[in-house]
Amino acid sequence: NCWLDIDQNTSKHYLAKLEIQRAETHLLINRLEDRLSNENYTKHAPKEVVHETKQQLKDEHKKLEHITAEIASFANASKSI
């Protein structure tokens, strides 16, 4: 845990930025899942490209977890501001 000396306006802007990042990450995850569920893509794309897409999906899920945890942590800490 750490303490940040910021005002409420800064806190709200940071949380809004995180929410935008979370929404963008959700959209990217949906696009990657749609791509991987497309049989034409998985059958005809080079194997390494499909593998890269799967890895990107895993990475985006990790990113989403991190952003969500950051939102929860920061929102919790912001309550005392």
Side-chain angles (χ1 to χ4, degrees):
N1 290 339
C2 69
W3 177 259
L4 296 175
D5 188 16
I6 59 173
D7 60 50
Q8 192 171 17
N9 193 37
T10 302
S11 174
K12 285 181 183 178
H13 278 89
Y14 183 66
L15 280 171
K17 178 183 169 186
L18 289 173
E19 289 292 349
I20 290 169
Q21 288 177 352
R22 182 165 58 176
E24 290 172 346
T25 303
H26 268 296
L27 288 173
L28 181 54
I29 286 171
N30 288 339
R31 282 196 301 264
L32 293 169
E33 287 175 341
D34 287 347
R35 189 178 304 160
L36 289 169
S37 68
N38 180 342
E39 197 172 309
N40 282 328
Y41 176 77
T42 56
K43 280 188 175 183
H44 297 106
K47 298 271 189 238
E48 57 273 358
V49 173
V50 174
H51 176 73
E52 287 174 11
T53 304
K54 289 178 180 179
Q55 185 59 50
Q56 186 180 7
L57 180 59
K58 287 179 187 177
D59 293 345
E60 292 302 318
H61 275 292
K62 287 179 188 175
K63 180 179 174 182
L64 181 60
E65 287 176 21
H66 175 75
I67 293 169
T68 301
E70 180 73 12
I71 289 170
S73 176
F74 198 79
N76 206 19
S78 300
K79 289 179 184 178
S80 62
I81 295 176

